[in-house]
Amino acid sequence: MLSHRNVEHRNQGGSSKRDGTGGQHAEDVVRSSGKDKDSRRKEIEKEDIDLENVDYMANFEDDFEDYEDDFEVCDDDSTNEPEPREKMEELPPARKKEIQEIQNAINAENERIGELSSKLFQKQGRPEREREPGADANSSPSRAPVCGIFVDFATASQRQKSRTQALKQKTRSTKLLRLIDLDFSFTFSFLDLPPVNEYDMYIRNFGRKNTKQAYVQCNEGTVERDIQTEEMETREAWTQHPGEGAAVSGGSESREPSDAAAVPKVDTLRLSSFLRAACQVVAVLLEEDRVAAAPSRDPGAQDSTLPLSDSAWQLNTSLPFLQHRNVSSLHASPAQRQVVSVHGLPDQACAPPLDRRHLLCVWDIWQPSGPQKVLVCESQVTCCCLSPFKAFLLFAGTVHGSVIVWDLREDSRMHRYVKLSDCFWTFRTATFSTDGVLTPVNHRSPLQAIEPVAASGHRKQSFVLSPFSAQEEMSGLSFHIASLDESGVLNVWVVVELPKADLAGSISDLGLIPGGRIKLVHSSVTRLSDSLSHKGDGRWGAAQTLNVKFLPSDPNHFIVGTNMGFVGHGSRQDLRVFPRFFKPQQHGERPVKVTAVDFSPFGEPAFLAGCCDGSIRLHQLASERPVLQWGLGTAGRAVTGLQWSPTRPAVFFVQDDTSCIYIWDLLKSDLGPVAKQPISPDRLVAMAVVGEPERTSGGFLALVLARASGHMDVQFLKRKWATPVADEQRRLRLLLQKAL
Amino acid sequence: MTSSGAVSVSVGASVSGTEGTLEADKISGKSENTYILRPVFQQRFRPSVVKDCIHAVLKEELATSEYSPEETPLLTKRLSETIKDKLKAMGFDRYKMVVQVVIGEQRGEGVFMAARCFWDADTDNYIHDVFMNDSLFCVVAAFGCFYY
């Protein structure tokens, strides 16, 4: 029945088109208007097709052409009719009623929306009527006779309006489509729900019957669990290139304390130089403490404290390179407490690099464990001296007539290392030597004395215009070196410090060690033999010069000890000086060597001269004859050493060749020594006096003694010899004036 | 009980448009440019805003609802009308909106819904939202096409 119904619909639709009838046509149009639809499955399908077909009237006609032929007129084809009718009869009455109801509902609905689509229907109806005006032969009476011959003005004007509108729209769309590009979009998937089969649903709810959700817990994912991984420390930092503005990098300001221990910037050069200096000082201090605290190292040694001294200690001469060597001389630095000991060749075989070398050791008396510096020299050293104010240069004169300089400041890496008994020792070679170079001006005979000539006499009195620049004075090089040889040639050398050390060596200065900075330049020469030979009647030959000393207050003046018993007086500028000679009280010439001369270090223009016949003379520069002379002070033994005390103006020390030490105190007695100390059994070879002149009270006075066995010890003299009495200098002056 | 065929689907669709300027043109009689090629920047169809709106509507209406064959057709119609009105109130000038609401019963069947459009991708856009509970699923698709 239903199928018949549908076919009828179609049929009617088709026929209505042809005939121009309204009702069923309206029906169709309703269905195809696309507004609300009834929910009938088969009808929906067909109505969809109808919807599409509403604008394609030709299709419509083509599709149902056949049907029309079949079912157009009920009485045309009688064969089909009984079938639908039979079908109608076959249906039960309840069904019939249902169908009837549905039909009524459809009709009612159609009428309801009939007005809405009347326009549409008329529009569509008109062209149909125009096309087939006479095809209304079989119009059923149920169709509403809307057709006719009347002119429908309303529709005409409506059509006109709609046509212009359509035209406008068409032009607009053509214009726009040129500017816009439309295309297909992606396929959007809205919902993808896979089918759930019954078993899954069953299982999902299995075992949960009779239960009710009682409790919901959210956030069950954050279960507390111990984690082994450590917290990562992060710090944010950023940088930008090219930078905009002032800040080109940055980061989070808060820093962890662990990484806030910023490494301080270290100036390694300064640090190393500081350490070098500081280590030395600390070593000395430690040693002082040790020596002071510990008992003397060699309690059974023969050179324990002399009766003259309060305390004493030994310098460690048992070092491998000092063994079997004799000490030939000692020299003490007047400014600092360094002592230089000159050692000769070893008696026994020694390590190859050292067995033919002479050694000089620079000691600090407060550090007896070993020398501070060890210097090597190829030729025998006859005399030496340290630079006056800052003892960083050591000058030595050799038996070959050469002057040698060691720069003690040099880096020890420049020199040779020798490993002796598991310890590395640095043996320093000379920085500059006049050996073989500067031959025209060099000495040709063994050097007898080498002395520094200071710029201005007293350090404190510097209103004398000094020939040295301020820089030289600051660097401690404001002095010349004077060297005297046997034949009376007095050379004065200038000490030059090169600004930069050249490790490759110098082409012009052949005597300079590669990497050295100190060199000597010959300044002037004075031939003393001429001036000295005027004196005397030539019976004994030319006088030999033995030593030279410069007046501390005026370095232009110097005195020269000769082997004829007199002391010559000279001046560097070759001016006439008076007196030219300082003779002993006895008249006449005697071949007595003046073995030692020494100026008073306290500024007095007086000097002492000791001779090999045991006589000691005290001269004042103004007069030829001595102020005081002692002939028997040493009981006739030759004076080998003579030195004023650096702490007390009226005290001096004498050493004679029988290994005795004499102490003279002019304020106590001007007739002879006030103390005498024989040194035995280890005979005394050389003696040097070390003291601190600046510290008037609490200063020390020490004698450094070198023994024949090669041992050296430092004797700290008793207080009475060390500490000056009140007003000593004035009293001494008075004494000297009285004696004149 | 589940049967593959017994699915009832309610489909509701509503269309709306704005055509004000055409009338004005007809009255004046002059032919001037009535089109603009791009929407005003502030009045583009912004999917995120629209999605929030749709989501709020769905949550409000469907939070406690169950599927029933009688009420669901009305529900879809009501939903689509509501959403369309809300979108119109949002102030997307010169945009034509199409809102499609599909509500179906969940009986274990599989559903796949897709759409494809032919439009100007620079100016037109769409948004869709899905709401599911034990008894029903609801898919809302809103398309906004710019009327040049």
Side-chain angles (χ1 to χ4, degrees):
Chain A
M1 199 57 195
L2 277 170
S3 59
H4 172 69
R5 186 109 215 111
N6 290 336
V7 168
E8 264 192 351
H9 279 185
R10 266 210 212 98
N11 174 28
Q12 282 161 358
S15 63
S16 73
K17 279 198 168 44
R18 200 127 27 111
D19 302 339
T21 51
Q24 274 117 0
H25 193 264
E27 241 177 85
D28 269 348
V29 165
V30 163
R31 289 216 178 80
S32 51
S33 72
K35 298 253 190 222
D36 298 320
K37 292 195 170 74
D38 283 334
S39 53
R40 302 251 159 92
R41 255 183 305 137
K42 289 186 191 163
E43 287 171 354
I44 287 167
E45 290 167 22
K46 292 185 178 71
E47 279 154 6
D48 280 343
I49 299 170
D50 284 350
L51 178 61
E52 285 169 27
N53 288 339
V54 73
D55 292 330
Y56 301 93
M57 321 226 183
N59 278 354
F60 202 106
E61 279 183 88
D62 289 339
D63 277 348
F64 301 105
E65 193 77 49
D66 299 333
Y67 292 127
E68 225 166 42
D69 287 337
D70 287 336
F71 299 157
E72 149 92 289
V73 177
C74 298
D75 43 359
D76 274 352
D77 191 359
S78 55
T79 51
N80 280 340
E81 251 201 7
E83 283 178 31
R85 254 192 237 119
E86 280 162 16
K87 279 193 184 151
M88 277 177 72
E89 285 159 8
E90 280 164 19
L91 287 170
R95 204 89 173 107
K96 259 199 257 180
K97 208 186 284 180
E98 206 185 320
I99 291 166
Q100 199 64 39
E101 278 175 23
I102 290 168
Q103 268 186 327
N104 292 341
I106 289 172
N107 286 338
E109 209 181 342
N110 288 345
E111 278 160 17
R112 225 188 310 132
I113 52 180
E115 301 87 37
L116 286 166
S117 58
S118 61
K119 265 193 263 178
L120 204 52
F121 134 72
Q122 276 172 11
K123 250 198 296 187
Q124 284 170 356
R126 258 282 138 182
E128 300 310 319
R129 268 176 252 135
E130 284 166 12
R131 259 195 285 149
E132 290 142 36
D136 50 356
N138 299 330
S139 58
S140 51
S142 63
R143 295 188 188 142
V146 192
C147 66
I149 319 158
F150 74 95
V151 180
D152 198 349
F153 285 113
T155 43
S157 67
Q158 203 72 32
R159 225 170 348 118
Q160 188 69 30
K161 245 192 262 179
S162 60
R163 211 181 288 156
T164 49
Q165 210 171 13
L167 188 66
K168 251 196 176 0
Q169 273 193 321
K170 203 160 150 222
T171 50
R172 188 173 190 271
S173 71
T174 44
K175 248 198 293 181
L176 269 178
L177 279 172
R178 258 184 278 130
L179 302 168
I180 301 164
D181 52 349
L182 302 173
D183 50 15
F184 281 105
S185 68
F186 291 117
T187 306
F188 312 118
S189 143
F190 293 152
L191 181 64
D192 185 2
L193 199 61
V196 181
N197 61 17
E198 196 181 336
Y199 181 71
D200 283 343
M201 302 262 313
Y202 172 66
I203 278 298
R204 205 188 303 162
N205 294 327
F206 182 77
R208 287 203 228 152
K209 297 281 189 239
N210 220 14
T211 59
K212 190 175 74 129
Q213 186 172 33
Y215 173 60
V216 176
Q217 179 189 352
C218 298
N219 210 17
E220 67 264 5
T222 62
V223 177
E224 282 271 326
R225 197 186 301 147
D226 283 333
I227 306 169
Q228 277 251 296
T229 321
E230 285 179 358
E231 273 278 333
M232 283 198 294
E233 291 179 6
T234 55
R235 189 166 67 88
E236 186 196 306
W238 60 267
T239 183
Q240 181 182 26
H241 181 75
E244 275 182 27
V248 288
S249 72
S252 60
E253 285 309 317
S254 64
R255 306 186 70 177
E256 299 294 333
S258 55
D259 65 349
V263 178
K265 295 189 86 172
V266 175
D267 186 347
T268 43
L269 286 175
R270 277 181 66 194
L271 181 66
S272 58
S273 58
F274 165 74
L275 281 177
R276 216 178 294 134
C279 286
Q280 234 174 353
V281 172
V282 171
V284 168
L285 289 172
L286 285 175
E287 192 147 355
E288 279 179 39
D289 282 347
R290 188 164 56 87
V291 168
S296 116
R297 266 181 291 129
D298 298 311
Q302 59 214 4
D303 48 341
S304 50
T305 315
L306 295 173
L308 293 175
S309 43
D310 285 335
S311 60
W313 58 62
Q314 261 212 332
L315 297 179
N316 182 18
T317 49
S318 55
L319 295 169
F321 50 88
L322 287 178
Q323 284 177 358
H324 313 298
R325 286 185 194 255
N326 291 325
V327 181
S328 54
S329 62
L330 287 174
H331 174 80
S333 159
Q336 289 162 313
R337 49 202 207 180
Q338 278 161 328
V339 172
V340 181
S341 62
V342 182
H343 299 260
L345 288 173
D347 299 331
Q348 297 172 15
C350 189
L354 296 175
D355 59 352
R356 268 200 276 258
R357 303 270 205 277
H358 296 256
L359 286 184
L360 289 94
C361 295
V362 180
W363 302 84
D364 182 350
I365 56 168
W366 296 105
Q367 213 178 4
S369 60
Q372 279 194 332
K373 302 218 166 38
V374 184
L375 318 174
V376 288
C377 177
E378 278 167 354
S379 40
Q380 185 188 353
V381 171
T382 50
C383 52
C384 64
C385 75
L386 284 163
S387 51
F389 303 126
K390 286 202 263 180
F392 59 97
L393 295 174
L394 178 63
F395 302 90
T398 64
V399 75
H400 298 125
S402 54
V403 179
I404 305 183
V405 186
W406 282 269
D407 185 355
L408 300 176
R409 298 171 304 181
E410 273 171 3
D411 203 340
S412 56
R413 286 171 295 177
M414 272 173 60
H415 298 277
R416 207 170 160 171
Y417 277 79
V418 180
K419 186 167 181 178
L420 292 168
S421 63
D422 299 325
C423 196
F424 281 104
W425 294 96
T426 315
F427 295 98
R428 295 168 176 261
T429 17
T431 306
F432 186 84
S433 157
T434 61
D435 240 342
V437 299
L438 306 170
T439 326
V441 296
N442 217 345
H443 293 280
R444 303 219 184 143
S445 39
L447 285 193
Q448 294 289 343
I450 187 162
E451 287 292 320
V453 182
S456 54
H458 222 268
R459 231 188 307 171
K460 308 257 166 61
Q461 301 168 353
S462 51
F463 19 90
V464 177
L465 277 174
S466 146
F468 302 97
S469 68
Q471 193 183 21
E472 278 171 328
E473 277 192 45
M474 288 287 287
S475 64
L477 285 177
S478 59
F479 61 96
H480 294 164
I481 290 291
S483 58
L484 178 72
D485 66 4
E486 269 182 0
S487 58
V489 174
L490 182 72
N491 274 331
V492 179
W493 310 83
V494 174
V495 182
V496 174
E497 178 166 14
L498 298 173
K500 206 166 85 79
D502 188 1
L503 266 176
S506 163
I507 306 175
S508 51
D509 303 313
L510 295 173
L512 185 64
I513 198 176
R517 291 176 68 179
I518 301 287
K519 67 174 190 178
L520 292 177
V521 175
H522 185 253
S523 161
S524 64
V525 62
T526 314
R527 294 188 198 281
L528 297 170
S529 49
D530 307 331
S531 58
L532 292 174
S533 62
H534 285 309
K535 163 71 185 138
D537 38 33
R539 269 183 289 158
W540 304 100
Q544 268 189 336
T545 49
L546 297 173
N547 36 44
V548 66
K549 281 278 195 255
F550 287 81
L551 181 63
S553 48
D554 185 7
N556 284 323
H557 291 259
F558 57 86
I559 52 171
V560 180
T562 64
N563 65 344
M564 296 304 286
F566 59 86
V567 177
H569 184 191
S571 128
R572 283 172 62 194
Q573 277 85 13
D574 233 359
L575 303 170
R576 307 292 297 180
V577 290
F578 185 76
R580 287 182 63 206
F581 307 101
F582 298 96
K583 296 179 210 159
Q585 278 173 345
Q586 303 92 330
H587 288 269
E589 265 185 22
R590 282 179 310 130
V592 174
K593 286 193 199 169
V594 176
T595 48
V597 283
D598 196 18
F599 270 108
S600 169
F602 288 90
E604 285 286 323
F607 66 91
L608 282 166
C611 309
C612 66
D613 62 353
S615 63
I616 302 169
R617 310 200 294 261
L618 176 66
H619 285 269
Q620 274 202 315
L621 275 182
S623 64
E624 209 178 72
R625 297 287 165 185
V627 172
L628 292 164
Q629 180 168 345
W630 301 276
L632 299 167
T634 56
R637 298 196 194 117
V639 171
T640 50
L642 177 73
Q643 201 170 351
W644 284 95
S645 161
T647 53
R648 288 190 61 184
V651 173
F652 60 90
F653 303 91
V654 176
Q655 175 202 358
D656 72 0
D657 62 356
T658 58
S659 173
C660 263
I661 300 177
Y662 301 88
I663 304 182
W664 297 73
D665 187 346
L666 290 173
L667 294 179
K668 284 236 179 80
S669 154
D670 59 352
L671 295 173
V674 294
K676 174 184 166 182
Q677 176 65 51
I679 310 283
S680 64
D682 202 354
R683 293 171 64 81
L684 185 68
V685 172
M687 178 184 77
V689 183
V690 184
E692 278 180 333
E694 284 93 14
R695 298 173 66 180
T696 47
S697 64
F700 70 94
L701 189 67
L703 289 177
V704 183
L705 308 172
R707 309 297 184 88
S709 62
H711 289 122
M712 285 189 285
D713 55 318
V714 181
Q715 303 279 341
F716 288 90
L717 292 178
K718 294 202 168 101
R719 281 261 162 258
K720 56 180 176 180
W721 315 118
T723 327
V725 299
D727 222 6
E728 189 162 329
Q729 193 158 356
R730 194 179 60 84
R731 286 168 65 182
L732 177 69
R733 213 173 291 147
L734 280 175
L735 184 75
L736 294 175
Q737 279 169 0
K738 246 196 320 184
L740 262 174
Chain B
M1 95 163 169
T2 55
S3 61
S4 54
V7 175
S8 54
V9 175
S10 297
V11 176
S14 60
V15 180
S16 78
T18 55
E19 298 181 347
T21 50
L22 277 175
E23 319 294 348
D25 214 51
K26 268 191 353 198
I27 291 166
S28 65
K30 292 193 293 179
S31 61
E32 48 187 34
N33 268 353
T34 60
Y35 56 83
I36 55 174
L37 290 175
R38 290 279 172 272
V40 179
F41 187 74
Q42 299 305 321
Q43 290 166 346
R44 280 172 19 258
F45 185 85
R46 268 165 290 155
S48 51
V49 185
V50 175
K51 179 154 184 158
D52 289 338
C53 166
I54 294 175
H55 200 75
V57 170
L58 283 185
K59 253 200 333 207
E60 188 191 315
E61 301 272 346
L62 295 177
T64 51
S65 61
E66 295 231 352
Y67 186 82
S68 68
E70 300 88 18
E71 287 179 31
T72 313
L74 300 170
L75 181 61
T76 42
K77 279 199 206 102
R78 197 173 73 236
L79 269 179
S80 60
E81 291 289 331
T82 315
I83 291 174
K84 185 194 77 179
D85 293 336
K86 282 222 164 128
L87 290 186
K88 283 217 266 185
M90 279 196 158
F92 296 116
D93 198 22
R94 292 185 82 123
Y95 265 93
K96 299 212 184 195
M97 315 280 191
V98 177
V99 177
Q100 182 183 30
V101 177
V102 177
I103 299 186
E105 187 185 9
Q106 271 213 62
R107 273 177 178 265
E109 79 282 8
V111 179
F112 189 90
M113 215 175 128
R116 198 167 172 206
C117 311
F118 182 74
W119 59 20
D120 181 359
D122 293 329
T123 54
D124 308 327
N125 214 330
Y126 86 102
I127 200 69
H128 82 278
D129 200 12
V130 178
F131 177 90
M132 282 211 270
N133 67 13
D134 282 339
S135 61
L136 58 79
F137 67 88
C138 172
V139 180
V140 175
F143 302 85
C145 302
F146 186 68
Y147 177 75
Y148 302 93

